[in-house]
Amino acid sequence: MQHVKEHLLIGCGNPLLDIVASVDNELLEKYNLKPNDAILASDEHMLLYKDLDDKYNADYMAGGSVQNTLRVCQWILEKPKIATFFGCVGKDDYAKILEKKATQDGLNVRYQYTNAAPTGSCAVLITGTHRSLCAHLAAANHFTIDHLQKLENRQLLESADYFYISGFFLTVSPPSIIEIARHAYKRKRTFMMNLSAPFVSQFYKEQLMAAMPYVDILFGNEEEVETFAREHNWQTKDRKEIGQKLLTLPKENSERERIIIITQGHHPVLLFQGRNIKEFPVQQLSREQLVDTNGAGDAFVGGFLAQYIQKKSLDVCIRCGIWAASQIIQRSGCTFEGKPSFRE
């Protein structure tokens, strides 16, 4: 681990305080939410957060997809400040909670602060083993490219070899994404993205496709890739066919072949590289072991990155991702404790 330098990995995303609660289907119906989905809050959802505070025994946790991924990555690496996180928060107590938690987990936090809005939050509604996410981005929406261009942050960009951005961030600052994507391309560094949620391919298709030529590694789950295929009129739901089509999308750096990774819940993870498709079985947990699937996808990428930035084989990276996801879904929220026990 000693050869892994500080500030090797940079992530950009939406820092959110997760408000986690076990709820009934009536609450989902009240706010037109689905049991397994991730959406941005609209006007009809503004009272949801008060409902959780008033009527449910809600917990507060550091969240946001990329921040979760990097926290898991740091936990596995057991060496602080390997990963740096950029995102925007308000000047309030929620931001202090977020920064304290993330820093305790070893993350190098470089928030942009705004007076224009409070720190973002995400309602995490748990019904059995399902979870519905409703994110109120608030301050997270105010991230600007100016923050990346500050001297101290430019130095961090220069130091990093790996860059990871969620599809969720396409709703916030596409110019920042393209800035980092081009930076990675010019310096022959690795640029990675996650499709993140079906709505990204549906409503931010233009922004996603502007970034896609720079993507070296793309992550997505079964619903996300099927939605992407439907939006591009590929006329197939076959995930192996979709993965192969994703490989062939235009790419700026033709010297570095694109890698596609599709997770499928408890079904095998699919790895697409060149003409090869590999399947990796997922550990089956009992219903009693399953506590909360919230954060499983984030944890998978965190486990993957912890090995990938150490230049481990893709097989090891994916097995670590599967292991990390299996740990997180046995706990409430994207949380962990103790020393990681993954073995190659």
Side-chain angles (χ1 to χ4, degrees):
M1 190 64 64
Q2 295 304 315
H3 67 280
V4 180
K5 66 176 182 177
E6 289 187 357
H7 316 309
L8 187 61
L9 168 65
I10 281 179
C12 288
N14 303 324
L16 304 174
L17 188 68
D18 283 350
I19 305 172
V20 185
S22 293
V23 303
D24 47 41
N25 287 318
E26 286 183 22
L27 188 72
L28 297 185
E29 292 170 6
K30 178 179 178 180
Y31 289 101
N32 292 313
L33 299 170
K34 299 175 184 176
N36 266 333
D37 202 5
I39 67 165
L40 295 179
S42 60
D43 289 345
E44 70 173 314
H45 301 115
M46 288 302 104
L47 291 178
L48 169 61
Y49 306 91
K50 187 175 187 304
D51 267 358
L52 292 178
D53 277 334
D54 293 348
K55 301 175 184 177
Y56 296 88
N57 186 25
D59 288 327
Y60 294 84
M61 302 177 183
S65 178
V66 173
Q67 188 164 237
N68 281 341
T69 287
L70 298 185
R71 287 173 49 240
V72 171
C73 180
Q74 282 288 169
W75 171 55
I76 294 169
L77 290 171
E78 298 184 275
K79 183 178 177 182
K81 297 185 178 180
I82 305 302
T84 297
F85 175 70
F86 289 112
C88 189
V89 296
K91 296 180 178 178
D92 52 28
D93 289 340
Y94 274 10
K96 293 175 183 175
I97 295 170
L98 278 176
E99 183 162 3
K100 180 179 178 182
K101 176 62 178 171
T103 303
Q104 284 175 345
D105 288 336
L107 195 54
N108 181 36
V109 174
R110 301 303 289 260
Y111 292 147
Q112 182 176 16
Y113 290 89
T114 180
N115 289 312
T119 296
S121 56
C122 181
V124 181
L125 311 178
I126 301 167
T127 50
T129 59
H130 303 294
R131 61 61 181 138
S132 181
L133 307 180
C134 185
H136 179 41
L137 296 185
N141 266 326
H142 293 266
F143 189 91
T144 62
I145 196 171
D146 300 355
H147 190 59
L148 296 176
Q149 294 168 341
K150 289 182 177 179
L151 178 60
E152 62 271 26
N153 293 334
R154 289 299 314 175
Q155 290 172 339
L156 288 169
L157 290 176
E158 291 294 337
S159 177
D161 289 340
Y162 304 92
F163 301 88
Y164 174 67
I165 294 178
S166 70
F168 293 127
F169 204 57
L170 289 165
T171 72
V172 172
S173 185
S176 298
I177 295 175
I178 297 301
E179 172 87 357
I180 291 174
R182 288 177 177 162
H183 169 85
Y185 166 64
K186 289 175 184 176
R187 288 160 180 76
K188 297 186 177 179
R189 313 271 170 83
T190 304
F191 180 74
M192 300 169 280
M193 280 196 72
N194 200 313
L195 292 176
S196 296
F199 79 82
V200 173
S201 294
Q202 292 172 304
F203 304 118
Y204 295 88
K205 182 177 177 180
E206 182 179 344
Q207 295 90 329
L208 176 59
M209 296 315 293
M212 191 64 75
Y214 300 98
V215 176
D216 296 308
I217 302 179
L218 180 69
F219 300 90
N221 68 23
E222 66 270 48
E223 188 177 4
E224 292 156 6
V225 298
E226 287 177 14
T227 301
F228 185 98
R230 187 167 61 250
E231 290 299 312
H232 289 264
N233 297 313
W234 284 355
Q235 306 296 321
T236 181
K237 290 185 178 181
D238 185 314
R239 293 166 200 161
K240 291 184 178 179
E241 188 176 346
I242 293 169
Q244 290 173 315
K245 283 179 173 288
L246 287 167
L247 279 180
T248 63
L249 290 173
K251 192 171 188 299
E252 286 288 342
N253 183 358
S254 57
E255 296 177 7
R256 187 199 297 263
E257 63 182 2
R258 180 176 287 135
I259 293 167
I260 306 295
I261 298 168
I262 300 176
T263 59
Q264 307 182 98
H266 64 277
H267 297 294
V269 174
L270 303 178
L271 166 66
F272 300 82
Q273 184 182 30
R275 296 184 178 181
N276 299 319
I277 304 173
K278 290 189 73 171
E279 298 189 27
F280 295 81
V282 171
Q283 177 187 357
Q284 299 297 307
L285 300 177
S286 68
R287 184 172 293 275
E288 292 72 32
Q289 289 175 299
L290 281 174
V291 175
D292 175 12
T293 55
N294 176 42
D298 299 338
F300 173 85
V301 180
F304 179 96
L305 292 177
Q307 304 303 323
Y308 190 74
I309 65 174
Q310 296 183 73
K311 304 187 185 302
K312 299 295 177 69
S313 72
L314 288 174
D315 286 28
V316 170
C317 297
I318 289 178
R319 286 202 302 272
C320 188
I322 292 169
W323 173 85
S326 74
Q327 300 303 300
I328 264 60
I329 63 177
Q330 295 182 65
R331 299 172 58 83
S332 180
C334 189
T335 62
F336 39 81
E337 66 179 1
K339 291 176 70 68
S341 59
F342 175 73
R343 295 293 177 266
E344 292 183 33

